[in-house]
PDB file of all heavy atoms in Angstrom:
ATOM      1  N   LEU A   5       0.801  -1.268   0.002  1.00 94.00           N
ATOM      2  CA  LEU A   5       0.064  -0.009   0.039  1.00 94.00           C
ATOM      3  C   LEU A   5       0.834   1.327   0.020  1.00 94.00           C
ATOM      4  O   LEU A   5       1.858   1.396   0.726  1.00 94.00           O
ATOM      5  CB  LEU A   5      -0.928   0.029   1.219  1.00 94.00           C
ATOM      6  CG  LEU A   5      -1.994   1.056   1.250  1.00 94.00           C
ATOM      7  CD1 LEU A   5      -3.028   0.762   0.168  1.00 94.00           C
ATOM      8  CD2 LEU A   5      -2.734   0.997   2.614  1.00 94.00           C
ATOM      9  N   MET A   6       0.427   2.136  -0.860  1.00 95.00           N
ATOM     10  CA  MET A   6       1.285   3.494  -0.949  1.00 95.00           C
ATOM     11  C   MET A   6       0.755   4.430   0.187  1.00 95.00           C
ATOM     12  O   MET A   6      -0.420   4.380   0.585  1.00 95.00           O
ATOM     13  CB  MET A   6       1.088   4.123  -2.320  1.00 95.00           C
ATOM     14  CG  MET A   6       1.499   3.209  -3.478  1.00 95.00           C
ATOM     15  SD  MET A   6       1.333   3.947  -4.985  1.00 95.00           S
ATOM     16  CE  MET A   6       2.690   5.109  -5.014  1.00 95.00           C
ATOM     17  N   THR A   7       1.578   5.395   0.538  1.00 95.00           N
ATOM     18  CA  THR A   7       1.120   6.432   1.417  1.00 95.00           C
ATOM     19  C   THR A   7       0.390   7.507   0.641  1.00 95.00           C
ATOM     20  O   THR A   7       0.700   7.874  -0.384  1.00 95.00           O
ATOM     21  CB  THR A   7       2.437   7.056   2.120  1.00 95.00           C
ATOM     22  OG1 THR A   7       3.156   6.052   2.721  1.00 95.00           O
ATOM     23  CG2 THR A   7       1.998   8.139   3.128  1.00 95.00           C
ATOM     24  N   ALA A   8      -0.706   8.039   1.255  1.00 94.00           N
ATOM     25  CA  ALA A   8      -1.504   9.082   0.582  1.00 94.00           C
ATOM     26  C   ALA A   8      -1.690  10.375   1.430  1.00 94.00           C
ATOM     27  O   ALA A   8      -1.799  10.205   2.621  1.00 94.00           O
ATOM     28  CB  ALA A   8      -2.903   8.430   0.311  1.00 94.00           C
ATOM     29  N   ASN A   9      -1.609  11.494   0.828  1.00 94.00           N
ATOM     30  CA  ASN A   9      -1.865  12.764   1.424  1.00 94.00           C
ATOM     31  C   ASN A   9      -3.253  13.123   1.193  1.00 94.00           C
ATOM     32  O   ASN A   9      -3.994  12.616   0.284  1.00 94.00           O
ATOM     33  CB  ASN A   9      -0.925  13.853   0.870  1.00 94.00           C
ATOM     34  CG  ASN A   9       0.584  13.547   1.368  1.00 94.00           C
ATOM     35  OD1 ASN A   9       0.845  12.883   2.269  1.00 94.00           O
ATOM     36  ND2 ASN A   9       1.529  14.147   0.604  1.00 94.00           N
ATOM     37  N   SER A  10      -3.756  14.171   1.916  1.00 92.00           N
ATOM     38  CA  SER A  10      -5.115  14.640   1.748  1.00 92.00           C
ATOM     39  C   SER A  10      -5.348  15.235   0.437  1.00 92.00           C
ATOM     40  O   SER A  10      -6.575  15.366  -0.010  1.00 92.00           O
ATOM     41  CB  SER A  10      -5.403  15.593   2.869  1.00 92.00           C
ATOM     42  OG  SER A  10      -4.581  16.684   2.832  1.00 92.00           O
ATOM     43  N   ASP A  11      -4.360  15.720  -0.241  1.00 91.00           N
ATOM     44  CA  ASP A  11      -4.564  16.366  -1.573  1.00 91.00           C
ATOM     45  C   ASP A  11      -4.530  15.374  -2.737  1.00 91.00           C
ATOM     46  O   ASP A  11      -4.545  15.696  -3.861  1.00 91.00           O
ATOM     47  CB  ASP A  11      -3.543  17.359  -1.833  1.00 91.00           C
ATOM     48  CG  ASP A  11      -2.072  16.774  -1.866  1.00 91.00           C
ATOM     49  OD1 ASP A  11      -1.892  15.524  -1.534  1.00 91.00           O
ATOM     50  OD2 ASP A  11      -1.088  17.548  -2.080  1.00 91.00           O
ATOM     51  N   GLY A  12      -4.513  14.028  -2.506  1.00 91.00           N
ATOM     52  CA  GLY A  12      -4.622  13.031  -3.531  1.00 91.00           C
ATOM     53  C   GLY A  12      -3.293  12.517  -3.908  1.00 91.00           C
ATOM     54  O   GLY A  12      -3.228  11.687  -4.884  1.00 91.00           O
ATOM     55  N   TRP A  13      -2.170  12.999  -3.344  1.00 95.00           N
ATOM     56  CA  TRP A  13      -0.810  12.544  -3.708  1.00 95.00           C
ATOM     57  C   TRP A  13      -0.495  11.262  -3.110  1.00 95.00           C
ATOM     58  O   TRP A  13      -0.494  11.154  -1.753  1.00 95.00           O
ATOM     59  CB  TRP A  13       0.197  13.567  -3.296  1.00 95.00           C
ATOM     60  CG  TRP A  13       1.654  13.209  -3.495  1.00 95.00           C
ATOM     61  CD1 TRP A  13       2.546  12.966  -2.630  1.00 95.00           C
ATOM     62  CD2 TRP A  13       2.285  13.085  -4.851  1.00 95.00           C
ATOM     63  NE1 TRP A  13       3.767  12.629  -3.197  1.00 95.00           N
ATOM     64  CE2 TRP A  13       3.615  12.656  -4.510  1.00 95.00           C
ATOM     65  CE3 TRP A  13       1.870  13.220  -6.102  1.00 95.00           C
ATOM     66  CZ2 TRP A  13       4.505  12.486  -5.559  1.00 95.00           C
ATOM     67  CZ3 TRP A  13       2.832  12.993  -7.094  1.00 95.00           C
ATOM     68  CH2 TRP A  13       4.109  12.564  -6.900  1.00 95.00           C
ATOM     69  N   HIS A  14      -0.431  10.103  -3.819  1.00 94.00           N
ATOM     70  CA  HIS A  14      -0.027   8.805  -3.379  1.00 94.00           C
ATOM     71  C   HIS A  14       1.514   8.587  -3.695  1.00 94.00           C
ATOM     72  O   HIS A  14       1.870   8.793  -4.953  1.00 94.00           O
ATOM     73  CB  HIS A  14      -0.814   7.716  -4.076  1.00 94.00           C
ATOM     74  CG  HIS A  14      -2.294   7.785  -3.613  1.00 94.00           C
ATOM     75  ND1 HIS A  14      -2.924   6.920  -2.867  1.00 94.00           N
ATOM     76  CD2 HIS A  14      -3.303   8.745  -4.019  1.00 94.00           C
ATOM     77  CE1 HIS A  14      -4.191   7.250  -2.660  1.00 94.00           C
ATOM     78  NE2 HIS A  14      -4.420   8.414  -3.357  1.00 94.00           N
ATOM     79  N   TYR A  15       2.297   8.189  -2.713  1.00 96.00           N
ATOM     80  CA  TYR A  15       3.677   8.025  -2.966  1.00 96.00           C
ATOM     81  C   TYR A  15       4.283   6.912  -2.189  1.00 96.00           C
ATOM     82  O   TYR A  15       3.718   6.376  -1.243  1.00 96.00           O
ATOM     83  CB  TYR A  15       4.474   9.369  -2.646  1.00 96.00           C
ATOM     84  CG  TYR A  15       4.372   9.625  -1.179  1.00 96.00           C
ATOM     85  CD1 TYR A  15       5.448   9.263  -0.272  1.00 96.00           C
ATOM     86  CD2 TYR A  15       3.408  10.364  -0.635  1.00 96.00           C
ATOM     87  CE1 TYR A  15       5.436   9.494   1.143  1.00 96.00           C
ATOM     88  CE2 TYR A  15       3.330  10.621   0.733  1.00 96.00           C
ATOM     89  CZ  TYR A  15       4.367  10.263   1.609  1.00 96.00           C
ATOM     90  OH  TYR A  15       4.304  10.481   2.967  1.00 96.00           O
ATOM     91  N   TYR A  16       5.516   6.466  -2.711  1.00 95.00           N
ATOM     92  CA  TYR A  16       6.227   5.430  -2.073  1.00 95.00           C
ATOM     93  C   TYR A  16       7.643   5.637  -2.242  1.00 95.00           C
ATOM     94  O   TYR A  16       8.165   5.902  -3.316  1.00 95.00           O
ATOM     95  CB  TYR A  16       5.840   4.018  -2.671  1.00 95.00           C
ATOM     96  CG  TYR A  16       6.546   2.798  -2.037  1.00 95.00           C
ATOM     97  CD1 TYR A  16       6.063   2.252  -0.859  1.00 95.00           C
ATOM     98  CD2 TYR A  16       7.603   2.305  -2.529  1.00 95.00           C
ATOM     99  CE1 TYR A  16       6.581   1.180  -0.149  1.00 95.00           C
ATOM    100  CE2 TYR A  16       8.356   1.204  -1.865  1.00 95.00           C
ATOM    101  CZ  TYR A  16       7.736   0.670  -0.710  1.00 95.00           C
ATOM    102  OH  TYR A  16       8.369  -0.367  -0.166  1.00 95.00           O
ATOM    103  N   ASP A  17       8.478   5.527  -1.221  1.00 95.00           N
ATOM    104  CA  ASP A  17       9.891   5.763  -1.226  1.00 95.00           C
ATOM    105  C   ASP A  17      10.588   4.403  -1.185  1.00 95.00           C
ATOM    106  O   ASP A  17      10.284   3.543  -0.242  1.00 95.00           O
ATOM    107  CB  ASP A  17      10.418   6.579  -0.004  1.00 95.00           C
ATOM    108  CG  ASP A  17       9.835   7.984  -0.073  1.00 95.00           C
ATOM    109  OD1 ASP A  17       9.664   8.445  -1.229  1.00 95.00           O
ATOM    110  OD2 ASP A  17       9.628   8.679   0.960  1.00 95.00           O
ATOM    111  N   TYR A  18      11.574   4.143  -2.060  1.00 94.00           N
ATOM    112  CA  TYR A  18      12.363   2.899  -2.067  1.00 94.00           C
ATOM    113  C   TYR A  18      13.862   3.277  -2.308  1.00 94.00           C
ATOM    114  O   TYR A  18      14.154   3.962  -3.171  1.00 94.00           O
ATOM    115  CB  TYR A  18      11.910   1.889  -3.203  1.00 94.00           C
ATOM    116  CG  TYR A  18      12.738   0.696  -3.270  1.00 94.00           C
ATOM    117  CD1 TYR A  18      12.604  -0.350  -2.346  1.00 94.00           C
ATOM    118  CD2 TYR A  18      13.642   0.528  -4.274  1.00 94.00           C
ATOM    119  CE1 TYR A  18      13.401  -1.437  -2.452  1.00 94.00           C
ATOM    120  CE2 TYR A  18      14.456  -0.519  -4.377  1.00 94.00           C
ATOM    121  CZ  TYR A  18      14.363  -1.561  -3.473  1.00 94.00           C
ATOM    122  OH  TYR A  18      15.140  -2.616  -3.549  1.00 94.00           O
ATOM    123  N   THR A  19      14.624   2.702  -1.389  1.00 93.00           N
ATOM    124  CA  THR A  19      16.089   3.005  -1.450  1.00 93.00           C
ATOM    125  C   THR A  19      16.895   1.806  -1.931  1.00 93.00           C
ATOM    126  O   THR A  19      16.787   0.725  -1.328  1.00 93.00           O
ATOM    127  CB  THR A  19      16.692   3.364  -0.086  1.00 93.00           C
ATOM    128  OG1 THR A  19      15.927   4.502   0.371  1.00 93.00           O
ATOM    129  CG2 THR A  19      18.103   3.786  -0.184  1.00 93.00           C
ATOM    130  N   THR A  20      17.531   1.859  -3.128  1.00 92.00           N
ATOM    131  CA  THR A  20      18.299   0.775  -3.576  1.00 92.00           C
ATOM    132  C   THR A  20      19.604   0.516  -2.738  1.00 92.00           C
ATOM    133  O   THR A  20      20.145   1.447  -2.138  1.00 92.00           O
ATOM    134  CB  THR A  20      18.783   1.042  -5.009  1.00 92.00           C
ATOM    135  OG1 THR A  20      19.514   2.178  -5.065  1.00 92.00           O
ATOM    136  CG2 THR A  20      17.539   1.164  -5.964  1.00 92.00           C
ATOM    137  N   VAL A  21      19.947  -0.714  -2.663  1.00 89.00           N
ATOM    138  CA  VAL A  21      21.121  -1.149  -1.848  1.00 89.00           C
ATOM    139  C   VAL A  21      22.377  -0.768  -2.668  1.00 89.00           C
ATOM    140  O   VAL A  21      22.341  -0.482  -3.866  1.00 89.00           O
ATOM    141  CB  VAL A  21      21.190  -2.610  -1.445  1.00 89.00           C
ATOM    142  CG1 VAL A  21      19.943  -2.938  -0.584  1.00 89.00           C
ATOM    143  CG2 VAL A  21      21.088  -3.468  -2.706  1.00 89.00           C
ATOM    144  N   GLY A  22      23.588  -0.774  -1.946  1.00 84.00           N
ATOM    145  CA  GLY A  22      24.813  -0.358  -2.570  1.00 84.00           C
ATOM    146  C   GLY A  22      25.277  -1.206  -3.804  1.00 84.00           C
ATOM    147  O   GLY A  22      25.733  -0.718  -4.764  1.00 84.00           O
ATOM    148  N   ASP A  23      24.818  -2.479  -3.734  1.00 86.00           N
ATOM    149  CA  ASP A  23      25.297  -3.412  -4.876  1.00 86.00           C
ATOM    150  C   ASP A  23      24.024  -3.643  -5.773  1.00 86.00           C
ATOM    151  O   ASP A  23      23.982  -4.753  -6.424  1.00 86.00           O
ATOM    152  CB  ASP A  23      25.909  -4.629  -4.363  1.00 86.00           C
ATOM    153  CG  ASP A  23      24.957  -5.414  -3.464  1.00 86.00           C
ATOM    154  OD1 ASP A  23      23.882  -4.838  -3.039  1.00 86.00           O
ATOM    155  OD2 ASP A  23      25.316  -6.582  -3.112  1.00 86.00           O
ATOM    156  N   ALA A  24      23.021  -2.822  -5.846  1.00 90.00           N
ATOM    157  CA  ALA A  24      21.899  -3.043  -6.621  1.00 90.00           C
ATOM    158  C   ALA A  24      22.281  -3.176  -8.099  1.00 90.00           C
ATOM    159  O   ALA A  24      23.047  -2.429  -8.576  1.00 90.00           O
ATOM    160  CB  ALA A  24      20.834  -1.919  -6.441  1.00 90.00           C
ATOM    161  N   PRO A  25      21.615  -4.065  -8.847  1.00 91.00           N
ATOM    162  CA  PRO A  25      21.995  -4.208 -10.294  1.00 91.00           C
ATOM    163  C   PRO A  25      21.415  -2.977 -11.080  1.00 91.00           C
ATOM    164  O   PRO A  25      20.403  -2.423 -10.817  1.00 91.00           O
ATOM    165  CB  PRO A  25      21.174  -5.472 -10.679  1.00 91.00           C
ATOM    166  CG  PRO A  25      20.060  -5.591  -9.651  1.00 91.00           C
ATOM    167  CD  PRO A  25      20.597  -5.115  -8.391  1.00 91.00           C
ATOM    168  N   SER A  26      22.278  -2.619 -12.016  1.00 89.00           N
ATOM    169  CA  SER A  26      21.878  -1.483 -12.904  1.00 89.00           C
ATOM    170  C   SER A  26      20.968  -1.899 -14.033  1.00 89.00           C
ATOM    171  O   SER A  26      21.013  -3.127 -14.343  1.00 89.00           O
ATOM    172  CB  SER A  26      23.125  -0.745 -13.354  1.00 89.00           C
ATOM    173  OG  SER A  26      23.827  -1.675 -14.222  1.00 89.00           O
ATOM    174  N   GLY A  27      20.180  -0.974 -14.562  1.00 91.00           N
ATOM    175  CA  GLY A  27      19.282  -1.301 -15.611  1.00 91.00           C
ATOM    176  C   GLY A  27      17.866  -0.893 -15.377  1.00 91.00           C
ATOM    177  O   GLY A  27      17.576  -0.003 -14.557  1.00 91.00           O
ATOM    178  N   ILE A  28      16.927  -1.474 -16.081  1.00 93.00           N
ATOM    179  CA  ILE A  28      15.540  -1.075 -15.931  1.00 93.00           C
ATOM    180  C   ILE A  28      14.842  -1.826 -14.766  1.00 93.00           C
ATOM    181  O   ILE A  28      14.918  -3.040 -14.705  1.00 93.00           O
ATOM    182  CB  ILE A  28      14.719  -1.398 -17.159  1.00 93.00           C
ATOM    183  CG1 ILE A  28      15.390  -0.635 -18.406  1.00 93.00           C
ATOM    184  CG2 ILE A  28      13.270  -0.936 -17.106  1.00 93.00           C
ATOM    185  CD1 ILE A  28      15.431   0.798 -18.199  1.00 93.00           C
ATOM    186  N   TRP A  29      14.165  -1.084 -13.839  1.00 91.00           N
ATOM    187  CA  TRP A  29      13.508  -1.678 -12.741  1.00 91.00           C
ATOM    188  C   TRP A  29      12.016  -1.566 -13.027  1.00 91.00           C
ATOM    189  O   TRP A  29      11.374  -0.430 -12.855  1.00 91.00           O
ATOM    190  CB  TRP A  29      13.831  -0.952 -11.438  1.00 91.00           C
ATOM    191  CG  TRP A  29      15.248  -1.249 -10.974  1.00 91.00           C
ATOM    192  CD1 TRP A  29      16.389  -1.109 -11.621  1.00 91.00           C
ATOM    193  CD2 TRP A  29      15.588  -1.742  -9.657  1.00 91.00           C
ATOM    194  NE1 TRP A  29      17.451  -1.386 -10.819  1.00 91.00           N
ATOM    195  CE2 TRP A  29      16.977  -1.856  -9.622  1.00 91.00           C
ATOM    196  CE3 TRP A  29      14.862  -2.123  -8.549  1.00 91.00           C
ATOM    197  CZ2 TRP A  29      17.704  -2.327  -8.532  1.00 91.00           C
ATOM    198  CZ3 TRP A  29      15.602  -2.575  -7.416  1.00 91.00           C
ATOM    199  CH2 TRP A  29      16.935  -2.765  -7.379  1.00 91.00           C
ATOM    200  N   PRO A  30      11.332  -2.592 -13.593  1.00 95.00           N
ATOM    201  CA  PRO A  30       9.925  -2.499 -13.946  1.00 95.00           C
ATOM    202  C   PRO A  30       9.079  -2.225 -12.642  1.00 95.00           C
ATOM    203  O   PRO A  30       9.215  -3.015 -11.710  1.00 95.00           O
ATOM    204  CB  PRO A  30       9.602  -3.837 -14.574  1.00 95.00           C
ATOM    205  CG  PRO A  30      10.905  -4.425 -15.002  1.00 95.00           C
ATOM    206  CD  PRO A  30      11.928  -3.893 -14.007  1.00 95.00           C
ATOM    207  N   SER A  31       8.298  -1.204 -12.659  1.00 95.00           N
ATOM    208  CA  SER A  31       7.440  -0.866 -11.556  1.00 95.00           C
ATOM    209  C   SER A  31       6.044  -0.510 -11.970  1.00 95.00           C
ATOM    210  O   SER A  31       5.914   0.031 -13.083  1.00 95.00           O
ATOM    211  CB  SER A  31       8.189   0.392 -10.776  1.00 95.00           C
ATOM    212  OG  SER A  31       9.461  -0.004 -10.410  1.00 95.00           O
ATOM    213  N   ILE A  32       5.123  -0.751 -11.178  1.00 94.00           N
ATOM    214  CA  ILE A  32       3.640  -0.496 -11.605  1.00 94.00           C
ATOM    215  C   ILE A  32       2.891   0.040 -10.388  1.00 94.00           C
ATOM    216  O   ILE A  32       3.143  -0.423  -9.294  1.00 94.00           O
ATOM    217  CB  ILE A  32       3.121  -1.744 -12.238  1.00 94.00           C
ATOM    218  CG1 ILE A  32       1.777  -1.425 -12.852  1.00 94.00           C
ATOM    219  CG2 ILE A  32       2.986  -2.843 -11.204  1.00 94.00           C
ATOM    220  CD1 ILE A  32       1.156  -2.544 -13.688  1.00 94.00           C
TER     221      ILE A  32
END
C-alpha cells in the first residue's frame, strides 16, 4: 500500500542497496 496525502498525492519511497543491479526496474 502506498502512502496518501489529503490532496490526493500517493507516493512510495524505495532506497536501492549499494550493490543493486543497474538497468531497468519494472514498476507499476
Side-chain angles (χ1 to χ4, degrees):
L5 190 65
M6 303 180 74
T7 303
N9 293 338
S10 60
D11 60 355
W13 175 250
H14 294 250
Y15 64 94
Y16 183 81
D17 294 331
Y18 176 74
T19 303
T20 58
V21 296
D23 58 350
S26 61
I28 303 301
W29 289 55
S31 304
I32 190 169

